Amino acid sequence: MRPLDPLSSIKMKLGAVIVAAVAVTVLVVSVGTGAGASPVVSALAAGALSLGLVQLLAHGMTSPLREMAAAAKAMARGDYGRRVTASSHDEVGELARAFNAMATQLAEVDRVRRELVANVSHELRTPITSLHAVLENLVDGVEPADPETLRTMLRQVERLGALVAQLLDLSRLESGAVPLQRRSFELRPLLDDAAGETRLRTTDVRVAVSVDPVGATADGDPARVHQVVSNLLDNAVRHSPAGGTVELRATRSRAGVTIEVSDEGPGISEEEKSMVFERFYRSDSARSSKDGGAGLGLAIARWIVDLHGGDIRVEARQPHGCRMVVVLPVVKA
Ligand SMILES: Nc1ncnc2c1ncn2[C@@H]1O[C@H](COP(=O)(O)OP(=O)(O)O)[C@@H](O)[C@H]1O
Ligand SMILES: [Mg+2]
């Protein structure tokens, strides 16, 4: 029972407690005197009654504090499910509400951390398992150490290396350890570069670059923007049908620069549109195919775009395919 909950500050509550205690004392003493009891007896009775009243009223004031102490101890043991009763309107109630909000956030952080560890372990285990199997065969003499076997092993090691590099990059981006090296740069050379690198990795998909106006510039960290474009081109090429064309287009407007990467592949379904930017998210078809990454490319791209104060989104393309749109705002000097 918390009769003082409606009062909005500790000061008012203390005042109420004192007034109640004084009122009880006066009442008991005057009733006692009227009934002919000795002053000592009525004073003792008044003292006992007002102490009981104070105990009753103050209990509700301090119980949230005790609850918080217990919940904090539980949290230290890793139990984030506890919440405290935050029904009072005073400073303690405010503290209890802030405490509950903090507990909710900590629980979410804990969930994300667990999920991350599970995902990372899973992604690392796959190449390690296959390396292990091949190495075991080599050691047992079941398989000869021919160049083809060694190349397979090299590919697995490269996959491991790339995954670890991506994870490291993502954690640096998230912690803000590497600040952006912002400057104004010309778009055409950067996009041509990224397209050239992508062409080296594919033979049957065309990559077409266009920039409007021709000498358009953007504000940002060119190395990071290059990384975004490379990740998007990599996905577009991987999902393109043989003989398809991937379009890389940049347009400059007053508000900023829009970079679009369009492909003629299967596209991304409406339900998956927001999920593809999550760490480790891959569609089922991407999960089952052998090539492709661990689902970190778009998560990294979104972080970079966010750091630039920009926006990245997926659009559907007619009749099929997807268009990834990145908008980088102009930085006002
Ligand atoms: N151009 C695209 N067309 C179709 N699906 C795509 C495209 N780009 C990304 N996706 C989907 O989004 C997922 C996440 O992409 P990404 O983060 O780059 O991871 P990864 O390339 O390692 O699979 C992919 O697995 C795929 O399912
Ligand atoms: Mg990718």
Side-chain angles (χ1 to χ4, degrees), residues 235-236 238-239 263 267-268 276 281-283 286 293-299 322:
N235 286 345
R238 196 138 36 80
H239 291 96
D263 64 57
I268 295 176
V276 292
Y281 182 83
R282 281 174 301 177
S283 65
L296 291 173
L298 289 180
C322 93

Side-chain angles (χ1 to χ4, degrees), residues 80-132:
Y80 297 102
R82 296 269 207 106
R83 297 293 179 272
V84 296
T85 321
S87 56
S88 75
H89 295 279
D90 64 354
E91 293 85 347
V92 176
E94 216 166 285
L95 182 63
R97 275 185 289 279
F99 186 93
N100 284 343
M102 181 190 75
T104 307
Q105 240 164 31
L106 280 177
E108 174 64 12
V109 168
D110 191 54
R111 188 190 64 77
V112 169
R113 184 187 60 82
R114 277 169 208 272
E115 214 175 84
L116 183 67
V117 172
N119 277 323
V120 170
S121 327
H122 175 82
E123 292 299 331
L124 291 176
R125 199 177 55 187
T126 316
I128 287 176
T129 309
S130 70
L131 265 179
H132 186 232

